[in-house]
Amino acid sequence: MGHTSLEKLIRLQRKTSSIRNICILAHVDHGKTTLADCLVASNGIISTRLAGKLRYLDSREDEQIRGITMKSSAISLHYAAGESEYLINLIDSPGHVDFSSEVSTAVRLCDGAIVVVDAVEGVCPQTQAVLRQAWLENIRPVLVINKIDRLIIELKLSPQEAYTHLQKILEQVNAVTGTLFTSKVLEERAVKEVEVQEALSEPSSGELVYDWSAGLEETDDSHLYFSPDQGNVVFASAIDSWGFSIHQFAQIYCQKMGVRSEVLQKTLWGDFYLNAKAKKIMKGAQSKGKKPLFVQLVLDNIWSLYDAVVTRRDKEKVEKIVASLGLTVMARDLRHSDPKVLLSAICSQWLPVSQAVLSMVCEKLPSPSEIGAERVERLMSVGTRRFDSLPEKTQELKQVFLDCTSEETAPVIVFVSKMFAVDSKALPQNRQRPLTQEEITQRRDLARQRHAEKQAASQSPTAPTQASSKLCVCVYTDALCAQTEALTVKPTAEEEEKEHFIAFARVYSGVVRRGQRVFVLGPKYDPALSLRTLPDGCSAADPLPSVPHLACCTLEHLYMLMGRELEELEEVPAGNVLGIGGMEEFILKSATISTSPACPPFTPLNFEATPIVRVAIEPKHPSEMPKLVRGMRLLNQADPCAEVLIQETGEHVLVTAGEVHLQRCLDDLRERFAKIGISASKPIIPFRETVIRPPKVDMVNEEMGRQQKVAVIHQAKDEQSKYPEGVHVDSTGLVTLTTPNKMATVGIRAVPLPEEVTRLLEGNSELIRTMEQFSLFAREGKTLEISQKTLEEIQGFKSKLEGLLQGHKWRNAVERIWAFGPRRCGPNILLNSVEGYRRPSVWQCVEREKEKSEAVMLRDFDNSIVSGFQLATLSGPMCEEPLMGVCFSVESWEIKFSSQLTQQDSVEEDSVSQQALEGRRKGDTTDCYGPFSGQLIAAMKEACRYAFQAKPQRLMAAMYTCEIMATADVLGRVYGVLSKREGRVLNEEMKEGTDMFIIRAVLPVAESFGFADEMRKRTSGLASPQLVFSHWEVISSDPFWVPTTEEEYLHFGEKADSANQALKYMNAVRKRKGLYVEEKIVEHAEKQRTLSKNK
Ligand SMILES: Nc1nc2c(ncn2[C@@H]2O[C@H](COP(=O)(O)OP(=O)(O)OP(=O)(O)O)[C@@H](O)[C@H]2O)c(=O)[nH]1
Ligand SMILES: [Mg+2]
């Protein structure tokens, strides 16, 4: 527990204004855990000597072995600054992209963040990502520029060069913040504009003057940026345990130089220099070629210390420095063979990093009670719902959030951001704890009594004196035994077996107590509904009717999170981070806990990573299947990002964010959750299927003309036999298909969507889903309240789409959109080109009233057409993978109704296409072909597939982007590995001030397995890339291509499968899915014989 007692921390928990909930965020390996070590050491939980080496918060074995953090973990620390005392709830997060979901769960519970940046590497992709996350969650960041020692020892920069370098890094970080800020201001500006317009359109608006400034000028953003003179930047070397802010040096020098510390605070960083003669601080160091103050007073000192201790090992000088700084260094540190030990002994006293960082945190970061109204509204209004559309009682809770009080009357509001598993041994109630003094005495008495009884039974009464002395000894030893044996209370074996989940949570209001009854609100809970059904003023302790996504439970255990340990608590007041035990039955991954049913569920966490790596898992012994299923369920609960699902094929599939994440999940399954041998398939690589415009050149890059085609006749025969009866395909690719009962005919054509449109659709799937929901509600006669912002976004999306779909072919296409697919929000479009059929538009929610009133109705079986389209886009004809970027245009749709036809599925009467409905009558079902709607769905699906096949088909591969940092000497090898794996380099640039190159490349996911490992091996660990899913890309080769001309035969051989990457991918997928693969296993047998003879 270190040198701060638990009681003290508990006392501090009650003082909301002195709590700081913070997390440490950075790119991978920038030194978060090392920095956390230094902070933990300041509380005496680990020794200062081990700080930086232990990585205390990396408590998992694989974290220690791999040297990266995989789970975020929290610890409560005490910090005293003069009179005031603070409680700091610190969360260390992982930096690897695969675990970015852990960052999201950490950021949600905090009010501030320490952003760490490596002084050599500068701003990296994950640095940007975490800054964005902090921004999105509305939490305030402070900056630590870490690893300054590398500038001295590795890069061997002079203090002046280092100063320029540090300035650049600050600029980079601020540039990221600047971009985030500008986009926000512009967004707010847009909202304001709409409000102004609305106000203008109202008659009572009076004299509103239109304001056309962008809003950037008048918004003060200076507090957002990092600047040492603002006190929100610390320069540090966590490994050598030192760190400082300008403030500390200002304190040191204000006495020495006789300058006011505020003046120094303002001038120590920046273009100021010291005029020694005039005893003045002057501006314009750079133009006059003078040393800036920062170099002269700060960096020079540090450089000379490193020079004396590490480079020259000058003992005398070191002693002089130590004496002048007024420090005491132990003799054994002075003698130590490793100069780093001496260095950190000196630095940790001179400029303790924990002091610098923690004082900055306490001064610059807000306490929980300073939570902003904007953040509260964002937390409370889920998705597209407007805050003011929430029930009144729910809106009232906003004030409760803002007050953040621990009063008895305040409702309890807690958010659980993730569940994590702990060994039952780690639980305080099961821990082997020392006995209290009373228990020891009690046991001793018991042992003595027992012994006396034994003695009395066996001893003869003849030698009382001897016996009594012996008895004394015996009693003494016995008691000792009892003491040592019973000093620990062991948990039972059965308890040890069980996996325990702890909810990682924060109290936003009220006091949570052990044994309290609370409501657990699932992410889909709707307060409006329960307020209607539940009695007024009810509590979780009452017997209540069941409400969807609402459960009642008792809080069984409350814990203070102390890194590897947990401390049991009786109650936790508002503003604190805590662990809650015994919630595994009620919470899957995240939830909101409250005593008030009016509380809305919190906005879902925004995860940056897309889970993309899938593997199928099975137990080594089939009989252990139930254990695997249970294990996977536990894993799903314990990991915020991993997905577990059972595919249609019956396989148990695990979806993870990347290779490292996958490895961790598999290890967890094996050793923790399932405890059985498992085997995982090779990663299942996702593909997409698409069509393209007819290419102009063929495989050998020759223009497709009327060349002499050898195999044309043979192919032509194929073409005709490809289509079954009832399907007609014309030369332009229009497919007409009739249902088996000959009642409906659809004509479909597939058209490739422009690339930008596909991208736009993909990026806006959330909006499309909202639109879909709106239409669904509208069909049922209800309206869905959509926030103004979302409406605007939809409008913007629509106009962008209109801008992209230009030209004769796409005339009026946006208005004619029938549906999106697959799953109703995917990147494919169903277009209504049926003459004379007007149906309610998908853009209903943004359309003006008058358009709505026009006579547009749904035709019968409209739904079936959409369903058929959904099915067709879900799995394509090439290898049953989803489609992407395809537009299916329905050019004709005729229904001939016969008298027997039922119309259970009809939706509404249609006034437009009367003639199509002729002869329709309600009647008995005697249709031998079964329900008509099913047939129509199947026909629609088939028609789409044929239409798709009538066009040049292509596979699309998922692509990763990666950023590799490498020194010039390994650059060649980096390129080697990239090109071997079909990677494509986008650009390469030199990092300023270093000899590093940054290479940006894209790489197919299919080729990425083992990429990071290979890269590390080939470059001796100097380059380690991180792969992030970026986009889908069309593979240019045609999987169905066969050589047709003499040249091509010569070039590719008869089979032509040697160079066809797309065919390989397609066949691999087909094989995996058990589909038919056209492959001859043995061909040219005699050739094989010749080959073997030659060997
Ligand atoms: N030279 C130098 N190395 C450091 C410093 N701080 C940390 N390191 C080293 O950097 C490596 C990564 O440190 P970690 O603290 O594990 O980094 P991290 O940010 O927690 O990494 P992840 O949690 O995996 O994202 C370790 O080898 C540390 O020894 C520093 O100030 N100077
Ligand atoms: Mg770490």
Side-chain angles (χ1 to χ4, degrees), residues 58-204:
D58 282 356
S59 47
R60 297 166 54 100
E61 198 181 319
D62 48 357
E63 287 180 325
Q64 288 287 346
I65 293 170
R66 272 186 177 253
I68 60 168
T69 309
M70 300 184 180
K71 287 254 165 201
S72 44
S73 45
I75 192 162
S76 296
L77 300 175
H78 166 253
Y79 173 69
E83 291 288 284
S84 34
E85 288 187 296
Y86 293 95
L87 172 71
I88 292 169
N89 296 317
L90 178 78
I91 306 177
D92 178 32
S93 70
H96 195 286
V97 263
D98 281 13
F99 305 113
S100 62
S101 55
E102 291 279 336
V103 177
S104 318
T105 58
V107 167
R108 171 55 66 85
L109 304 188
C110 295
D111 303 302
I114 304 178
V115 176
V116 180
V117 175
D118 184 325
V120 173
E121 297 190 353
V123 173
C124 292
Q126 275 315 99
T127 318
Q128 298 184 1
V130 296
L131 278 169
R132 191 169 57 245
Q133 283 205 325
W135 182 268
L136 286 179
E137 287 283 344
N138 254 333
I139 71 172
R140 202 178 301 164
V142 288
L143 184 69
V144 172
I145 301 186
N146 190 28
K147 304 201 188 181
I148 305 265
D149 61 308
R150 290 182 70 188
L151 299 181
I152 312 174
I153 294 169
E154 277 176 37
L155 298 190
K156 301 203 166 45
L157 300 184
S158 71
Q160 179 69 43
E161 286 163 343
Y163 171 65
T164 331
H165 185 84
L166 290 174
Q167 268 182 325
K168 287 225 177 77
I169 289 184
L170 266 177
E171 272 169 28
Q172 288 172 0
V173 182
N174 283 333
V176 179
T177 319
T179 335
L180 293 170
F181 175 72
T182 327
S183 59
K184 182 180 164 230
V185 173
L186 293 180
E187 202 175 274
E188 275 175 4
R189 173 77 212 156
V191 173
K192 215 163 79 187
E193 224 162 69
V194 173
E195 279 165 10
V196 169
Q197 271 173 5
E198 275 173 6
L200 274 174
S201 60
E202 282 167 22
S204 63

Side-chain angles (χ1 to χ4, degrees), residues 35 69 90 93 197 203 250 265 418 556 569 696 710 719 739 804 815 859 873 889 958 987 997 1001:
L35 180 67
T69 309
L90 178 78
S93 70
Q197 271 173 5
Q265 174 95 22
K418 69 164 182 177
E556 283 174 20
L569 296 175
K696 299 233 165 52
V710 182
E719 295 268 308
T739 52
L804 290 172
E815 291 299 335
R859 200 158 144 181
T873 46
S889 167
N987 64 9
F997 284 88

